[in-house]
Every structure is written in C-alpha cells, then in structure tokens.
C-alpha cells in the first residue's frame, strides 16, 4: 500500500513538473511571437493613437503591442531622425532639409503619412459666456500680438452682438514646447497677416510677442481652464475632452464655421501632392474650417535603415498596423473627437506603403496584396 502511494506521488510530481514546463514553454513562445512597436510625437493625436493601439492589440489577440509616447511634434521628429523610435507623429511635416538628409543617409525617403486631421480651435475661459464666441483672422492675430487686451474690446463686440462681454483682461496662452499644433496655428496667422508673417512667422515654436506657456495640448488646456480671462488654442478633441469653451472662426469665404468633423474634413478637400506635405490653413473650401491640417505618421522607406527596427518581423507588423490605422482604425475617429481621413489621403498613404522595403524587398506591396 505504501509502495503504491509512493508511486502515485512520484507520477503526480512528474505530471506537475511536465505541466509547469509546458506552461513555461507556452509563455516563452508567446513572448517570442509578440511584437512591440514604439512610436512618439504629437500630443494632439495621442488619444486617437492610444485608442488605436488598444484596439489593435485586441484585433491581433495580443500579438502586437503599440507603445506611443506623447512628447510633442518636435520631440517626435527629433527621435525619428535619431532612429530611437519605429514611427513618429507630427502636425508639422518634415522639412526639405530633413527629408534630404534622410534620403542621403538611408538611400530612401522619409514618408509623411496622414493618420488624422488636426483642427486647432480658439479656446477660452470667460465667466458668463459659454460656447459661441465668433472670431476672425484679424481678431485672433491682434490678440496674440498683444494689441487687443480686454474682452470687451470693440472688435470683439462687433463680431459678437448680444454677448455680455466682461471688462476682463485677456491672458494669452500658447505652447511652450515644440508643437505641430503651434505650426498649424501660426501657419494660419502667417497666411492671413503680413504683420504676423514679418514679426513672428510660423513654426513648431516661435518667439511669442506676449502670453504664458503651457506644455502640450493638455498644458494649454489646463491653464485656460483654471484662469478666467484666458484664451488659448487646442485641438477640438482636447477642447471637448476637457469641457473647454471654444469659438467659431470666419473663413476665407466669409462664412462663420463652427468647428466640426465635417468642416475639418472639408478643409482638406483639395488636390494633394504625392508626398502629402501640404498645409491647407485658410482653406478656400467654402465650408471648410480654416485652422486645420494633417497629423502625419513618419516612417522610413527602407525600414531596415531605421536602427529602432531590428528585424523583419517588426517591419512587417509596423506596416500591418499602418494599413489598419488608415482603414479599419478610422472607425475610432469621430467617437474620440477626430475627423476621418478623406479618401484621397488614404490612397496617397497606400501608394507610400507600396514603396516600403526590408533589405530591398518590397514588403509593403506584399502585405497590401494580402489585404
């Protein structure tokens, strides 16, 4: 009897050990097959990219994890150039100089692929006045030049009859970090005002004539929300998420446009160049919102030339994520406060994906053919 018990215990121990070894083997195999994709950049599309990452992990049954760090467009461009990330995100397309340097160093292009549309709205904190203020180009420029300093100024009242505008100082809020949102905002100012163009100009960061800074979309939103009399600029998504009041803007056609997904997509209803590097602020589209632009994903043509991508599997999964982001992933856009890509932008993206290579092999074309 004792011998039988000892045998049973012995075989049970063997079975337990085998089960543990099998479990360890499965975990090791799962870790070996999982791929982590690393990206960084613009804060504007961060909620959308994060939601896409969560959904894509589910779609791939945990096979692919996308880690996106919201550090601003300037940081995303820098890390993309330094090759410490697999993809970057920016609301300011790569300059000719950067594109040229990358082409010389890698033998291929640096693709700027639109992932969503960036709409930048004037946000404000004005006691007694909810959403509904109307701005035009001259008014916004004069506020940010420090020429209009109080909310009951005659120019503000002229555009907003019937509004109870208080005699309150205006506190201008702007981004303190390098930002694609700033690039769109100042691009608009540069196109509508020669004074702004000559005195300040446009870029991801500029020498502001006045105001206080906030880091990221979230930083500007925080300052505006907590400071009565403040005016800032944020993406429509951040304004909605943070329950900030935001204004309508009179466009180049003289129409008062309330920010919306449709108005932002309409602003991009123009002919696009093959590389999609275009700014369409102050759009001529009659129903287009005038302060808008693309948010781009930055990817190398020769994926093996990006030091952050160490093997073909990573390159292939990055391409699959790109394709999903511009197709099925767009379903997440409007529920999160983003405008969908127009079909013209999707077609341009697919043309770029077709050119993506791993050690000279057109893996982008191959993966698109799978779909």
């Amino acid at each position: 009897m004792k011998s039988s018990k000892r045998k049973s215990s012995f075989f049970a121990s063997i079975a337990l050990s085998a089960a543990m070894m099998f479990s360890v083997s499965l975990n090791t195999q799962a870790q070996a097959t999982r791929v982590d994709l690393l990206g960084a950049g613009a804060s504007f599309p961060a909620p959308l990219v994060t939601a896409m990452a969560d959904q894509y992990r589910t779609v791939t049954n945990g096979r692919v994890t996308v880690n996106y760090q919201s550090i601003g467009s300037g940081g995303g461009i820098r890390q993309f150039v330094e090759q410490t990330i697999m993809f970057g995100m920016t609301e300011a397309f790569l300059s000719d100089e950067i594109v040229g340097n990358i082409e010389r160093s890698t033998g291929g292009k640096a693709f700027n692929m639109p992932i969503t549309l960036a709409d930048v709205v004037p946000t404000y904190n004005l006691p007694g006045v909810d959403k509904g203020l109307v701005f035009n180009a001259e008014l916004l420029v004069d506020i940010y030049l420090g020429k209009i300093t109080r909310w009951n100024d005659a120019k503000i009242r002229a555009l907003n009859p019937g509004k109870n505008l208080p005699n309150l100082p205006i506190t201008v809020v702007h981004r303190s970090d390098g930002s694609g949102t700033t690039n769109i905002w100042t691009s608009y100012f540069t196109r509508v005002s020669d004074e702004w163009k000559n005195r300040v100009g446009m870029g991801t960061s500029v020498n502001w004539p006045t105001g206080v800074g906030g880091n990221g979309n979230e930083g500007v939103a925080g300052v505006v929300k907590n400071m009565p009399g403040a005016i800032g600029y944020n993406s429509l998504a951040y304004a909605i998420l943070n329950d900030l009041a935001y204004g309508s803007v009179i466009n180049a056609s003289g129409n008062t446009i309330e920010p919306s997904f449709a108005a932002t997509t309409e602003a991009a209803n123009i002919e696009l160049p093959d590389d999609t590097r275009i700014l369409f602020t102050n759009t001529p589209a009659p129903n287009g919102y005038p302060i808008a632009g693309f948010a781009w994903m930055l990817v190398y043509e020769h994926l093996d030339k990006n030091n952050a991508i160490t093997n073909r599997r990573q390159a292939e999964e990055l391409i699959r994520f790109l394709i999903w982001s511009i197709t099925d992933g767009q379903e997440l856009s409007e529920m999160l406060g983003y405008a969908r890509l127009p079909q013209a932008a999707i077609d341009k993206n697919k043309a770029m994906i077709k050119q993506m290579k791993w050690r000279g092999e057109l893996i982008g074309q191959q993966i698109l053919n799978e779909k």
Side-chain angles (χ1 to χ4, degrees), residues 1-13:
M1 182 66 72
K2 289 182 179 179
S3 174
S4 176
K5 288 183 178 179
R6 283 197 296 271
K7 287 181 179 178
S8 297
S9 176
F10 173 72
F11 286 120
S13 296

Side-chain angles (χ1 to χ4, degrees), residues 123-127 144 151 168-177 210-234 238-239 242-245:
T123 52
Y124 57 89
N125 179 347
L126 199 53
Y144 269 77
W151 280 105
L168 186 68
I170 296 175
T171 299
V172 170
V173 187
H174 55 73
R175 289 284 287 269
S176 59
D177 57 323
T210 187
V212 297
N215 189 54
N217 259 293
E218 56 273 26
V220 172
V223 175
V224 171
K225 193 167 187 176
N226 293 299
M227 185 176 292
I231 184 171
Y233 56 93
N234 293 92
Y238 268 91
N242 289 276
D243 195 27
L244 288 170

Side-chain angles (χ1 to χ4, degrees), residues 3 13 33 60 81 94 131 158 168-169 189 207 247 257 313 319 322:
S3 174
S13 296
T33 57
T60 61
V81 171
L94 296 179
K131 295 177 182 177
L168 186 68
F189 283 9
N207 292 320
I257 306 296
R313 176 76 188 286
I319 291 173
L322 290 175

